[in-house]
Amino acid sequence: MGMTTQATALMRAAVVTRYGSPDVLAVREVPRPVPGPGQLLIAVKATTVSSGDARIRSRRVPPGMGFLMRLALGWNAPRQGILGSECAGVVAEIGPGVTRFRVGDAVVAFPGTSLRAHASFVCLREDGPVVHKPASLSFEQAAALLFSGTTAYHYIHHAARVAPNERVLVVGAAGAVGCAAIQLARLAGAEVTGVCSAESAELVRSLGAHAVIDYRREDFTQSAARYDVVIDCVGSTNYAACARILRPQGRLVRVVCGLWGQLAAPLQGRLSGHRVIAGVAAERVDDIRHLVAQAEAGRYRAVIDSTFPLSRIAEAHARVDSGHKHGSVVITLDDPS
Ligand SMILES: NC(=O)c1ccc[n+]([C@@H]2O[C@H](COP(=O)([O-])OP(=O)(O)OC[C@H]3O[C@@H](n4cnc5c(N)ncnc54)[C@H](OP(=O)(O)O)[C@@H]3O)[C@@H](O)[C@H]2O)c1
């Protein structure tokens, strides 16, 4: 009688139905978000399956963190079943009051811990972690800039405060965070050594590393060299093992660290004048702007390991689970399936 019921618009999304192996992922039709005041609706063109997404899906976390993770994220399944912390796409709709973006603008965004980027559309505040995508970057390249980039930037600039001419050792140099750390440490003026497999030595050198150590042939903790900063992106070491290779005022950054390591970090190394840094990297909009500007200027790039359509996201998760990806695993949303 003159009233119409507006059908809810749908979109495709990869949903984690319970914790487990990659086959817990289902690509489904789910309600499309509606942009509220000050929000953008972004049509996602590319996103990534990060090591963080794979950790949430599998509930595979550093020792001691399992209980806390279930409390924070959900007991039997993640409360937010649509993962994905970074993406690039096009503004499809704007909510009331939006002034900085227009429909059709290409953007790069970092939903971060609020996730939801493994979908055709995601909503974000215009004053939040979203910036215009440089025309020189493809959607795939732009989508892979920020998970690894913000993590590395947090530890190198805000936590360890790497200074020009310092010597930095990056362990896990070929992973997504390692590739970012090598480049950002170089941009900070450091002399950088990467610890990686022989297969990825060329990649790591191409990102700016002055030297590489093959972890399968040499134990870097027994090296004669000394470093101002050691950044462990693998979780393969600890302060006791690294103390001898740290210079006075040296910092050990434990990007991957169990609960006891995190609790002990503030006390460790004090007597030797060292500092141990652990904990979760903070998400800052200014860091995002800085990283995208560096990428636009050609000084920083995302390394892409492999690319899968959304319909094959389980294979993408399996690649991340291998622990041997080099850079980021990208998901594209162009396929109609
Ligand atoms: N604290 C935080 O806030 C935070 C934020 C983001 C990420 N993270 C954590 O940081 C870690 C790294 O993330 P990511 O995305 O860079 O992971 P990733 O891309 O999966 O890194 C794996 C890399 O590690 C290398 N590798 C494996 N074993 C190694 C060893 N013993 N020595 C040196 N390199 C080794 C592999 O290289 P080869 O194949 O060549 O061996 C591979 O390239 C993850 O555990 C993630 O959960 C923490």
Side-chain angles (χ1 to χ4, degrees):
M1 303 217 293
M3 280 177 61
T4 53
T5 318
Q6 210 175 357
T8 311
L10 297 175
M11 67 171 184
R12 290 165 67 230
V15 182
V16 174
T17 51
R18 63 195 150 84
Y19 294 120
S21 59
D23 58 18
V24 300
L25 283 150
V27 178
R28 286 185 180 159
E29 299 263 292
V30 300
R32 177 196 288 199
V34 178
Q39 287 189 336
L40 314 174
L41 180 72
I42 300 166
V44 177
K45 297 282 185 195
T47 175
T48 64
V49 175
S50 71
S51 50
D53 295 320
R55 279 198 185 283
I56 297 175
R57 188 218 74 236
S58 62
R59 216 165 51 76
R60 192 187 56 243
V61 286
M65 304 296 285
F67 178 74
L68 292 175
M69 184 202 157
R70 281 184 130 163
L71 277 184
L73 299 179
W75 204 256
N76 294 315
R79 276 186 287 274
Q80 176 46 259
I82 303 174
L83 308 181
S85 62
E86 59 184 340
C87 64
V90 173
V91 176
E93 279 177 37
I94 55 174
V98 166
T99 56
R100 296 186 204 174
F101 295 89
R102 289 190 301 195
V103 170
D105 284 358
V107 293
V108 48
F110 186 58
T113 49
S114 57
L115 302 170
R116 297 173 192 255
H118 291 170
S120 315
F121 295 91
V122 66
C123 261
L124 280 176
R125 288 194 57 79
E126 70 159 342
D127 57 1
V130 53
V131 295
H132 284 98
K133 180 183 81 64
S136 56
L137 301 182
S138 68
F139 286 106
E140 287 86 346
Q141 289 166 331
L145 283 176
L146 296 177
F147 171 82
S148 53
T150 55
T151 302
Y153 198 83
H154 167 84
Y155 291 115
I156 287 173
H157 287 274
H158 299 287
R161 295 170 183 263
V162 171
N165 301 317
E166 285 197 317
R167 298 194 67 186
V168 174
L169 182 76
V170 178
V171 183
V177 177
C179 288
I182 295 275
Q183 297 178 80
L184 295 176
R186 273 299 304 267
L187 285 171
E191 187 191 314
V192 186
T193 301
V195 179
C196 59
S197 62
E199 300 86 75
S200 41
E202 203 179 307
L203 166 70
V204 171
R205 282 187 191 278
S206 78
L207 296 171
H210 299 88
V212 292
I213 296 173
D214 177 354
Y215 68 85
R216 294 199 177 103
R217 298 178 62 127
E218 192 182 333
D219 177 354
F220 68 87
T221 65
Q222 300 306 313
S223 140
R226 297 290 178 268
Y227 301 94
D228 299 289
V229 179
V230 174
I231 305 177
D232 175 17
C233 306
V234 174
S236 65
T237 192
N238 55 33
Y239 176 67
C242 288
R244 62 173 294 281
I245 58 165
L246 285 174
R247 282 176 163 170
Q249 322 291 321
R251 289 85 82 200
L252 169 65
V253 178
R254 301 187 68 187
V255 178
V256 188
C257 184
L259 181 62
W260 303 119
Q262 291 195 29
L263 293 174
L267 303 170
Q268 285 181 315
R270 293 281 162 181
L271 293 176
S272 316
H274 295 153
R275 206 148 60 85
V276 179
I277 295 162
V280 178
E283 298 173 7
R284 301 177 183 86
V285 174
D286 281 350
D287 294 0
I288 290 166
R289 295 205 177 101
H290 177 81
L291 288 161
V292 173
Q294 294 286 14
E296 183 167 24
R299 289 192 286 264
Y300 175 72
R301 70 180 173 100
V303 173
I304 296 181
D305 172 90
S306 46
T307 305
F308 298 84
L310 185 70
S311 55
R312 289 172 55 201
I313 194 166
E315 288 169 63
H317 271 258
R319 175 65 185 150
V320 181
D321 282 0
S322 75
H324 293 290
K325 71 180 169 73
H326 296 154
S328 297
V329 171
V330 168
I331 299 291
T332 55
L333 283 99
D334 289 336
D335 64 316
S337 54

